[in-house]
């Protein structure tokens, strides 16, 4: 995490208006958007460059799809916190992303207040789990 | 025999259809959260499985005459 203690966020969505909306949402939670990507390939390169605390990831994108990006991220950093934000909500896609290591899966039509709660709870659960793992290691 | 075979085939096809339908079913946000909770609640595989195997009573059999 950065010295400002604000969780650093990478936003990945091919739709500009979704990224704009999510920027407002995560900023309201006190998170810091450090990078944005409009396709999967760019998302992977930005993830490696910025090492964000949270990646918010769309599923349907050109070049590389969200689940492929998720797989790429988790293979290089299994501790990465990735939250799917998508309209693709069939059982197969949800299960695949959860199995690949997504920390949460949020429908795009979720009301903003619920979305904020979901993001915050996922971040808190992740940091708590990370602290516990660190304590056990010490 | 043919009737029995056909019935079995039909049942298998029906099972496949149901499974296929389940896989394409759209989930609500509540459904998704329930699935996530269920996954988190599942016990993780023991990290020291190898050690447990070494300490199992079966390994001591090799030492006995």
């Amino acid at each position: 995490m950065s010295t400002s203690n604000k969780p650093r966020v990478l936003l990945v969505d091919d739709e500009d208006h979704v990224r704009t909306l999510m920027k407002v949402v995560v900023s309201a939670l006190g998170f810091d958007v450090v990078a944005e990507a409009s396709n999967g390939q760019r998302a992977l390169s930005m993830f490696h460059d910025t090492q964000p605390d949270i990646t918010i990831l769309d599923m349907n994108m050109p070049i590389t799809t969200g689940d492929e990006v998720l797989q790429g991220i988790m293979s290089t950093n299994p501790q990465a916190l990735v939250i799917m934000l998508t309209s693709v909500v069939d059982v197969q896609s949800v299960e695949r992303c959860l199995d690949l290591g997504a920390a949460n899966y949020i429908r795009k039509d979720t009301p903003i207040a619920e979305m904020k709660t979901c993001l915050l709870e996922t971040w808190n659960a992740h940091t708590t789990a990370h602290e516990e793992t660190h304590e056990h290691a010490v | 025999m043919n009737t029995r075979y056909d019935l079995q085939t039909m049942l298998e096809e029906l099972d496949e259809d149901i499974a296929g339908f389940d896989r394409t079913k759209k989930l609500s946000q509540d459904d998704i959260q329930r699935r996530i909770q269920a996954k988190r609640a599942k016990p993780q595989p023991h990290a020291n499985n190898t050690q447990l195997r070494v300490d199992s009573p079966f390994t001591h059999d090799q030492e006995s005459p």
Side-chain angles (χ1 to χ4, degrees):
Chain A
M1 209 191 294
S2 65
T3 47
S4 69
N5 281 338
K6 279 185 174 183
R8 300 163 66 254
V9 178
L10 166 62
L11 284 178
V12 185
D13 201 301
D14 59 330
E15 294 173 290
D16 290 350
H17 67 276
V18 175
R19 293 202 311 275
T20 304
L21 172 70
M22 287 314 295
K23 206 169 177 175
V24 173
V25 170
V26 298
S27 299
L29 291 171
F31 298 173
D32 191 12
V33 177
V34 291
E36 296 179 36
S38 58
N39 67 61
Q41 210 165 44
R42 189 122 178 80
L44 278 170
S45 115
M46 282 186 166
F47 179 85
H48 295 302
D49 290 348
T50 60
Q51 293 294 311
D53 299 309
I54 306 170
T55 302
I56 297 176
L57 185 58
D58 185 23
M59 192 72 154
N60 270 344
M61 288 185 296
I63 308 173
T64 311
T65 58
D67 54 336
E68 289 168 340
V69 176
L70 173 64
Q71 196 166 19
I73 289 174
M74 300 313 288
S75 66
T76 54
N77 182 1
Q79 304 301 317
L81 175 61
V82 182
I83 298 172
M84 305 305 292
L85 179 72
T86 175
S87 308
V88 181
V89 288
D90 60 283
V91 178
Q92 199 160 12
S93 302
V94 173
E95 287 287 336
R96 173 165 162 73
C97 288
L98 295 179
D99 288 344
L100 284 172
N104 213 323
Y105 201 105
I106 305 175
R107 285 176 64 122
K108 272 187 181 170
D109 59 356
T110 303
I112 298 293
E114 199 181 325
M115 204 180 271
K116 281 182 180 174
T117 307
C118 217
L119 290 168
L120 209 52
E121 280 178 0
T122 309
W123 169 245
N124 289 337
H126 179 81
T127 49
T128 306
H130 188 77
E131 280 163 13
E132 279 173 7
T133 310
H134 185 70
E135 277 169 21
H136 283 300
V138 175
Chain B
M1 197 172 90
N2 278 346
T3 311
R4 197 172 152 190
Y5 173 79
D6 287 345
L7 188 62
Q8 182 64 32
T9 308
M10 279 169 63
L11 283 171
E12 282 170 5
E13 284 174 357
L14 191 63
D15 277 347
E16 281 170 18
D17 286 347
I18 291 168
F21 173 75
D22 282 345
R23 302 303 288 168
T24 56
K25 185 187 159 194
K26 300 278 184 280
L27 296 176
S28 69
Q29 190 60 42
D30 284 345
D31 289 335
I32 294 170
Q33 292 309 313
R34 270 193 290 273
R35 278 171 190 266
I36 292 170
Q37 292 302 324
K39 275 194 189 290
R40 283 182 191 155
K42 270 187 192 170
Q44 297 299 308
H46 201 288
N48 292 323
N49 273 349
T50 313
Q51 187 61 42
L52 285 176
R53 212 173 293 127
V54 170
D55 290 343
S56 77
F58 299 105
T59 56
H60 297 297
D61 289 348
Q62 293 169 355
E63 291 166 13
S64 59

